[in-house]
Amino acid sequence: MNVDLSTIFNMSLINSTFRASTPIIYAALCAAITQQANILNVGIEGIMLIGSFTAVTFSYITGSWVIGVLAAMIAGCLISGLIGIGHIKFNADITAIGMGVNLFALAITRLLLQVLYGVNGSFASPYIKAIPRISIGFFSKIPVLGSILNNLTITEWILLPTIILLYFVIYKTPYGLHLRAVGAFPEAAKTAGINTTRKKYESLLIGGLVGGLAGAHLSLGYSAQFVNNMTNNRGFMGIAAMFFGGANPIHTSLGCLLFGFADSIGARLQSYGLPAQFVLMLPYIVTILVLTISVYAKIKNDKRKESSLVKREV
């Protein structure tokens, strides 16, 4: 196989990497928010899938992508609220609830696709209003910026401000301090007068809004249709990236770029005869590597802390 590297590694690769990473980054931010309160939201995959279906449905009915996105965020918030009730109020295992939500989302969206639209597999219509793409004439005159920044959707443009805002709220405000205290030292937080139950619910609801936005971007921004299981494990990739970045919005987002890069490289190599099965497998290989590195780093860090504590006691 004769591969021309210049057709693979060029400036457009940055654009395609960012586009492929965007829904994963939103999913990872959803996971990072809840993880701050020590809640591993395994149901992100289901939240995204329901958000995708809701966005398409409301965009189709109303002819407005804005209403579609808002409806998806509300749907994500409601699903996260149900997860919170099961986990916080009834003390159910968060992993079991999350996997239940994922299976429910897969089944209910497939059913509604048949009941509402009479189709199987996918639904597309000219009445579905996609999230607009923005091209700035000034950037098109600059070769590098033009290939990277032009023709991005609004949800892709607001991604960086969202990352910065979440980082600022979590690490630079009293609210974020209280949220992190609830996750790291719940008993101390209670002693300080912080309502830990309320903070956990808030983290889930805020995370649900971001998860719903991730689903809306997938169906109205990344594409303009709904396809069965269109999340394709992006929620789990987001969780892996969250562990990789230590639930820090900036570090987590950088980890997501690995998945987008693997997906973009795989798609380009496929044109050279690389088996489609291998291309589909690449993001999951990266997921395993990211989780392995994250677990190894955590073990090393825990051992370092334990060694330091022993030395202090001695």
Side-chain angles (χ1 to χ4, degrees):
M1 181 175 63
N2 188 17
V3 179
D4 184 4
L5 294 180
S6 64
T7 62
I8 298 176
F9 298 96
N10 50 43
M11 295 310 300
S12 64
L13 178 62
I14 299 176
N15 180 276
S16 59
T17 296
F18 177 70
R19 290 189 62 189
S21 302
T22 298
I24 305 175
I25 293 175
Y26 277 120
L29 293 177
C30 173
I33 294 167
T34 59
Q35 189 64 28
Q36 295 295 339
N38 197 28
I39 298 175
L40 178 58
N41 191 354
V42 185
I44 296 173
E45 187 81 6
I47 292 172
M48 286 181 66
L49 194 57
I50 291 176
S52 296
F53 184 86
T54 304
V56 162
T57 298
F58 276 83
S59 177
Y60 174 74
I61 294 173
T62 65
S64 169
W65 67 268
V66 175
I67 294 177
V69 170
L70 292 176
M73 294 176 69
I74 293 172
C77 187
L78 291 175
I79 298 298
S80 286
L82 292 176
I83 293 174
I85 292 172
H87 175 60
I88 300 170
K89 184 175 181 178
F90 296 104
N91 201 31
D93 183 76
I94 186 64
T95 303
I97 297 175
M99 293 306 297
V101 166
N102 294 339
L103 294 173
F104 170 76
L106 191 61
I108 194 65
T109 52
R110 189 183 298 267
L111 174 63
L112 290 175
L113 201 61
Q114 295 174 346
V115 172
L116 296 180
Y117 305 114
V119 296
N120 292 310
S122 64
F123 172 68
S125 169
Y127 295 105
I128 297 174
K129 300 301 180 183
I131 298 172
R133 296 187 177 276
I134 299 176
S135 293
I136 300 176
F138 172 75
F139 288 151
S140 62
K141 298 177 183 178
I142 306 175
V144 176
L145 287 180
S147 61
I148 296 175
L149 297 178
N150 266 345
N151 203 33
L152 296 178
T153 64
I154 292 177
T155 43
E156 288 167 338
W157 274 104
I158 67 172
L159 178 60
L160 183 58
T162 301
I163 295 170
I164 295 173
L165 175 63
L166 288 176
Y167 176 84
F168 179 80
V169 171
I170 291 173
Y171 293 103
K172 303 296 181 180
T173 65
Y175 182 87
L177 177 63
H178 293 170
L179 183 63
R180 287 183 287 122
V182 169
F185 310 104
E187 296 303 322
K190 288 181 181 178
T191 304
I194 299 173
N195 189 331
T196 57
T197 299
R198 180 178 176 178
K199 282 289 182 287
K200 288 182 177 181
Y201 272 116
E202 288 174 353
S203 70
L204 279 166
L205 294 177
I206 296 172
L209 290 173
V210 178
L213 179 59
H217 171 75
L218 200 57
S219 60
L220 295 183
Y222 199 68
S223 62
Q225 61 179 334
F226 178 82
V227 180
N228 278 335
N229 195 26
M230 70 183 304
T231 50
N232 198 23
N233 294 316
R234 287 181 174 87
F236 293 113
M237 293 178 190
I239 293 174
M242 181 275 294
F243 279 116
F244 179 79
N248 180 308
I250 295 177
H251 298 164
T252 292
S253 300
L254 292 176
C256 292
L257 294 176
L258 292 174
F259 300 112
F261 180 75
D263 185 61
S264 299
I265 288 293
R268 292 172 180 231
L269 289 176
Q270 192 173 0
S271 63
Y272 288 95
L274 191 71
Q277 293 82 355
F278 183 79
V279 173
L280 293 173
M281 187 174 62
L282 274 178
Y284 303 103
I285 294 175
V286 174
T287 302
I288 294 172
L289 290 175
V290 166
L291 284 175
T292 302
I293 294 171
S294 301
V295 171
Y296 177 77
K298 186 177 186 304
I299 293 174
K300 291 283 289 184
N301 188 45
D302 290 344
K303 285 184 178 179
R304 191 181 299 112
K305 288 181 178 179
E306 183 179 347
S307 175
S308 176
L309 182 61
V310 170
K311 289 181 180 179
R312 289 179 183 177
E313 291 179 351
V314 172

